[in-house]
Amino acid sequence: MLSCLPSDEAVLNIYTEADGVFANAHRGSLVIDLSTVYPETSQELSRLGSERGVDVLDVTISGALLPPKRGC
């Protein structure tokens, strides 16, 4: 599952609510968060996912157009 949300609060809510991602993910699942959040939020997601047998990756994306235009 991929997520890209606007805030730390939104990320934590969507993953940890009673009907959220972690409540519905199967052990061995992989979730990838693309949101721009504080490192502590990513670390918390990783910890919570690990407790449930779910792998969590924090992947950075950039909205900057100049690097892609340069081929970077």
Side-chain angles (χ1 to χ4, degrees):
M1 202 221 51
L2 295 171
S3 61
C4 187
L5 300 161
S7 69
D8 293 80
E9 181 181 7
V11 169
L12 291 172
N13 286 342
I14 200 79
Y15 278 88
T16 63
E17 288 181 345
D19 61 346
V21 172
F22 288 144
N24 291 288
H26 298 283
R27 292 186 80 71
S29 295
L30 171 64
V31 296
I32 301 170
D33 183 53
L34 305 164
S35 309
T36 301
V37 295
Y38 288 106
E40 295 82 8
T41 299
S42 295
Q43 292 164 355
E44 178 71 358
L45 282 184
S46 181
R47 184 187 67 76
L48 292 169
S50 181
E51 289 176 359
R52 292 162 178 80
V54 176
D55 292 321
V56 179
L57 293 179
D58 173 33
V59 178
T60 303
I61 58 173
S62 173
L65 296 177
L66 194 52
K69 286 181 180 179
R70 289 183 180 162
C72 301

